[in-house]
Amino acid sequence: MRTLANETPSKIGSSVLLKGWVHVRRDHGKIVFIDLRDRSGLVQIVASPELVEGLHTEDVIHVTGIVAARPPKLVNPKLASGTVEIQAEKVELISKAAEMPFDMGGAELDLELPTLLDYRSLSLRHPKIQAIFKVQAVIIDSFRQALLAKEFLEFQAPSIISSVPEGGAEVFKVKYFQHEAYLSQSPQLYKSLLVGAFERVFSVNQIFRAEPSVTTRHLTVATSLDAEFGFLNSWTDVLDMQEYVVKYIFEKVQEKCGPELAMFDATLPQLPKKIPVVKLREAQEIIFQRTGRDCRVEKDLAPEDEREICAYAKEKLGSELIFVSHFISAKKPFYVYPDPADPTYAFSVDLLGRGVEWSSGGQRLHNYDEILDHVKKWGLKPEDIELYLQSFRYGVPPLGGFALGAERMTMHILGLKNIREASMFPRDMERIDLRLKTPEKK
């Protein structure tokens, strides 16, 4: 029966069978040390040279040997298996690896981003790269668990849609048999209409944004964590639900990802009892008072504004997250709920963290006649969103929700420099797995 690397400390004196990859090989004359890597981590193998003759990095091997306690001075506290080593009795080569294009044995994988992604199938084997996606998996799973605990139903939204009702980012057109269709920018309309059926729903979806830009914070294909629920008493119910979810995620990442956080010297965002909230115009006034930069008539926050209001929240409010609400109604999608006190502004909310937007959300219109009025004002065709309108025609309660970006959360929890590092297989204008060649100029 196979034993995993991190199970070996409980089997001192026993014979075990380990299966994994040669992570590092160190030759010391009559003794060879091999760090064997499996899904649980690393464990040190001690072998004679003849047992491991010809083995090198990334060879797949089976090792049979005795688990022995390491001398106290040789204990490695950084490894779960650091108190033991395996005295090899038999080593089998299962699959031979080609010569490595770069060093895989260091604590860091010191590569430029293009090379890291060009060799993605190999770089994903490195423990520090794997740590990114272990954290991301906990983020996504914790999002699910938090909402399931609140009686939300998970659904899968379509990726192919018939029209583009939300505006905003450019979209990808696709040929759908003999028709023209689009890749979805958001599951928003589907999750809203489902409130009329299930009251509380969420989805984990790939979304597609054909924005002609290459930045460190944008992806063409991203993972959106969407939630929507009904019977709101106030737009602030959306903030309360989102704060509950975000804090739940942080709690689980802290609980389950200690070693991974340590690899990046990462800490979870500092938060007070309640995440602070400022309106857009209040945020812009704060920025003006702090910097002298006048953005008080702008319809949104520029990246430098997001960084500044986050700096303010951390310095003055003891929070690395801040909600910014009341964006301009006319600059948001048709379903936004205008504030009755001043319909110029909507119950629309972004969550900013560590200098960048993490999510968007807010209260949505639920009255059919008001929705139809907005559809016409926004210059949309009712027939393009008939399925959505159908739900509201037959009664939907006050509703709202939010969408978190899984890659952005991962990036800013771990302090990554580029969001592509937080995507296993990133897509952007220059890459679909392989770098796209620029057409030669004639």
Side-chain angles (χ1 to χ4, degrees):
M1 181 180 294
R2 181 187 182 187
T3 297
L4 293 175
N6 67 358
E7 296 173 338
T8 54
S10 65
K11 299 193 175 185
I12 293 175
S14 300
S15 177
V16 295
L17 170 63
L18 295 135
K19 300 179 179 182
W21 289 261
V22 175
H23 186 64
V24 174
R25 174 180 176 142
R26 301 181 298 279
D27 287 75
H28 294 272
K30 295 182 179 180
I31 296 178
V32 178
F33 294 97
I34 287 178
D35 289 342
L36 179 139
R37 185 185 75 246
D38 63 21
R39 70 176 185 269
S40 72
L42 301 172
V43 64
Q44 181 170 276
I45 310 295
V46 183
S48 61
E50 57 270 19
L51 265 183
V52 294
E53 183 178 358
L55 295 185
H56 65 69
T57 305
E58 295 309 306
D59 287 345
V60 179
I61 59 174
H62 291 182
V63 178
T64 302
I66 303 297
V67 182
R70 291 199 199 187
K73 292 182 178 180
L74 298 180
V75 167
N76 184 349
K78 294 182 179 180
L79 291 182
S81 66
T83 58
V84 300
E85 60 188 16
I86 312 303
Q87 296 173 347
E89 298 176 331
K90 180 182 179 182
V91 178
E92 299 175 80
L93 174 63
I94 304 301
S95 182
K96 188 68 181 172
E99 184 178 350
M100 292 296 105
F102 43 76
D103 181 16
M104 287 279 288
E108 305 286 334
L109 195 52
D110 190 16
L111 300 173
E112 296 293 328
L113 184 62
T115 304
L116 187 80
L117 299 179
D118 287 346
Y119 287 93
R120 201 52 164 161
S121 63
L122 188 55
S123 65
L124 285 169
R125 298 183 182 189
H126 192 274
K128 190 166 183 180
I129 304 301
Q130 291 183 344
I132 296 170
F133 300 103
K134 290 178 180 179
V135 170
Q136 190 170 100
V138 172
I139 289 171
I140 294 171
D141 184 61
S142 300
F143 171 79
R144 282 193 168 100
Q145 296 305 318
L147 291 171
L148 288 171
K150 295 290 186 181
E151 300 182 349
F152 280 67
L153 175 79
E154 182 172 7
F155 77 102
Q156 287 71 47
S159 294
I160 299 174
I161 57 176
S162 60
S163 61
V164 188
E166 291 191 72
E170 296 183 29
V171 296
F172 290 103
K173 292 182 181 180
V174 296
K175 184 178 180 182
Y176 190 73
F177 302 104
Q178 301 305 312
H179 307 279
E180 188 175 88
Y182 307 88
L183 296 181
S184 176
Q185 302 161 279
S186 163
Q188 179 59 54
L189 299 193
Y190 292 99
K191 66 177 183 175
S192 289
L193 74 85
L194 285 175
V195 169
F198 297 101
E199 188 179 328
R200 294 183 165 198
V201 295
F202 74 91
S203 69
V204 177
N205 277 94
Q206 296 286 287
I207 58 171
F208 306 86
R209 302 293 174 95
E211 296 173 295
S213 62
V214 179
T215 74
T216 60
R217 55 189 271 171
H218 290 97
L219 288 168
T220 300
V221 182
T223 307
S224 186
L225 311 178
D226 277 81
E228 200 84 359
F229 60 106
F231 295 101
L232 300 188
N233 294 310
S234 165
W235 66 279
T236 59
D237 290 350
V238 176
L239 278 63
D240 292 340
M241 184 66 75
Q242 186 168 359
E243 180 169 336
Y244 153 74
V245 170
V246 168
K247 287 183 174 180
Y248 186 97
I249 291 172
F250 289 172
E251 177 185 335
K252 294 303 177 183
V253 169
Q254 187 72 64
E255 175 187 324
K256 297 182 177 182
C257 300
E260 290 76 19
L261 294 173
M263 283 186 185
F264 290 87
D265 195 23
T267 58
L268 291 164
Q270 172 187 351
L271 290 179
K273 186 175 180 180
K274 292 291 293 180
I275 297 175
V277 186
V278 295
K279 295 181 180 179
L280 173 67
R281 293 303 187 218
E282 293 172 345
Q284 291 169 329
E285 180 63 32
I286 291 168
I287 293 167
F288 177 68
Q289 295 298 328
R290 284 170 61 87
T291 69
R293 186 175 68 252
D294 196 350
C295 58
R296 292 175 292 179
V297 297
E298 298 298 326
K299 298 177 175 64
D300 204 345
L301 295 176
E304 59 184 339
D305 300 328
E306 292 179 346
R307 290 191 290 270
E308 187 59 40
I309 201 64
C310 284
Y312 159 80
K314 184 176 181 180
E315 293 169 17
K316 303 298 184 181
L317 306 175
S319 180
E320 290 189 80
L321 299 184
I322 184 169
F323 286 114
V324 179
S325 72
H326 287 73
F327 289 86
I328 310 297
S329 295
K331 295 299 176 181
K332 289 294 182 179
F334 72 91
Y335 48 73
V336 296
Y337 197 113
D339 185 345
D342 184 352
T344 303
Y345 301 98
F347 290 144
S348 178
V349 186
D350 285 355
L351 177 64
L352 308 183
R354 292 183 169 174
V356 71
E357 178 191 326
W358 285 27
S359 79
S360 60
Q363 185 172 354
R364 332 293 188 188
L365 287 173
H366 65 280
N367 179 276
Y368 175 76
D369 292 332
E370 289 182 90
I371 294 172
L372 204 58
D373 182 58
H374 271 222
V375 168
K376 294 173 182 176
K377 285 181 179 178
W378 264 249
L380 303 174
K381 297 178 181 179
E383 58 268 27
D384 286 344
I385 53 170
E386 171 54 29
L387 191 65
Y388 173 84
L389 292 174
Q390 182 187 94
S391 182
F392 289 85
R393 189 181 297 123
Y394 297 108
V396 172
L399 76 162
F402 55 90
L404 289 156
E407 291 87 0
R408 281 201 179 177
M409 289 190 75
T410 307
M411 176 185 180
H412 291 283
I413 286 174
L414 295 178
L416 306 178
K417 294 180 180 179
N418 193 308
I419 197 167
R420 285 154 191 78
E421 297 177 71
S423 174
M424 276 194 180
F425 306 106
R427 268 78 173 117
D428 58 34
M429 287 181 67
E430 300 174 346
R431 179 179 296 277
I432 304 176
D433 290 340
L434 301 177
R435 277 182 275 183
L436 304 174
K437 294 181 180 179
T438 303
E440 295 181 4
K441 294 182 180 181
K442 295 182 179 179

